[in-house]
Amino acid sequence: MSGITWHYVLKFIITGDAAVGKSSLLVRLTDQRFLTNPDPTLGVEFGSKLIEIPEEGKIVKLQCWDTAGTESFRSITRSYYRGAAGCLLVYDVTSRASFTNARSWLADVREHADPHLTCILVGNKVDLCEAEDGTSNGRREVSTAEGELWAKEDDLLFVEASAKSGVNVEIAFEQASRDILDKIKRGV
Ligand code: GDP
């Protein structure tokens, strides 16, 4: 879609524990590729992509910021959150700890970001949970139902995804963008 103008620019932040796949989701979104061994010290910090929301007839420019290594500091500056319309709150479905810790990442977001910010909970790495015949291989530590339940309780959108296979990555951003456009229409 290069050369096309856009109707909205939406800033997204991507947050969650180290190694849940935040940089990989961003690379998948913007470059349609997956790196098996990304250098953690060279985490992608920023990526931009145009997406279309056909039912609204709108083109949205996503500007996505990854926390890229700041996880260890836990206190992310307000400037990172400033102006963000959307947040991907990421955990790894094969790591119970990352799911538990996502609650404190959400608390951080709710404390520092715009109260109307749209947050989508993303259970990443679903590709690791399936055996070759499509059955479960026992590696999953967080069920889909648990993710759904928390999302419902805390007013989050929810999706399970894989930066490796690409499943649901663009859809996660689209879903969140739809919700943001809807808020804009309603004047929220
Ligand atoms: P970040 O620290 O949250 O940005 O995580 P990274 O994107 O650096 O990913 C951490 C590790 O998990 C890397 O080895 C990635 O290749 C791997 N990874 C990320 N996403 C996925 C995924 O969807 N599936 C699998 N199997 N591995 C993933």
Side-chain angles (χ1 to χ4, degrees):
M1 282 201 274
S2 62
I4 297 173
T5 49
W6 49 88
H7 302 95
Y8 295 99
V9 176
L10 301 181
K11 176 179 170 181
F12 273 75
I13 53 176
I14 307 178
T15 185
D17 269 6
V20 293
K22 299 182 298 300
S23 301
S24 301
L25 288 166
L26 185 51
V27 169
R28 168 60 71 188
L29 176 79
T30 56
D31 277 0
Q32 291 88 41
R33 62 195 172 103
F34 176 73
L35 306 170
T36 318
N37 289 307
D39 183 339
T41 60
L42 294 176
V44 183
E45 289 177 5
F46 177 77
S48 175
K49 171 154 176 112
L50 293 181
I51 61 162
E52 193 178 0
I53 309 291
E55 63 276 27
E56 300 279 344
K58 302 287 185 216
I59 308 274
V60 171
K61 182 173 187 159
L62 303 175
Q63 292 189 331
C64 307
W65 295 87
D66 174 17
T67 41
T70 50
E71 298 99 341
S72 50
F73 299 106
R74 295 293 325 199
S75 66
I76 296 174
T77 58
R78 278 170 187 273
S79 62
Y80 174 70
Y81 293 101
R82 193 175 301 134
C87 171
L88 255 71
L89 178 61
V90 186
Y91 66 93
D92 170 353
V93 293
T94 69
S95 159
R96 163 75 43 193
S98 74
F99 184 66
T100 306
N101 291 340
R103 287 194 184 269
S104 60
W105 287 109
L106 178 63
D108 240 39
V109 169
R110 292 261 155 98
E111 188 183 340
H112 298 296
D114 183 317
H116 299 300
L117 173 124
T118 290
C119 212
I120 183 162
L121 181 63
V122 179
N124 189 36
K125 306 197 188 182
V126 283
D127 63 281
L128 291 177
C129 306
E130 274 191 5
E132 274 177 16
D133 60 3
T135 57
S136 166
N137 62 9
R139 289 190 64 183
R140 182 186 275 273
E141 291 189 4
V142 184
S143 72
T144 305
E146 280 177 284
E148 278 170 350
L149 182 65
W150 178 29
K152 205 171 163 195
E153 281 169 1
D154 260 307
D155 196 25
L156 311 167
L157 300 170
F158 174 68
V159 79
E160 286 190 336
S162 165
K164 184 170 185 181
S165 73
V167 70
N168 282 346
V169 176
E170 200 161 327
I171 285 172
F173 286 92
E174 279 170 13
Q175 244 184 276
S177 298
R178 258 190 213 101
D179 187 72
I180 296 164
L181 294 195
D182 190 52
K183 284 178 184 164
I184 293 172
K185 269 204 294 198
R186 288 186 288 119
V188 176

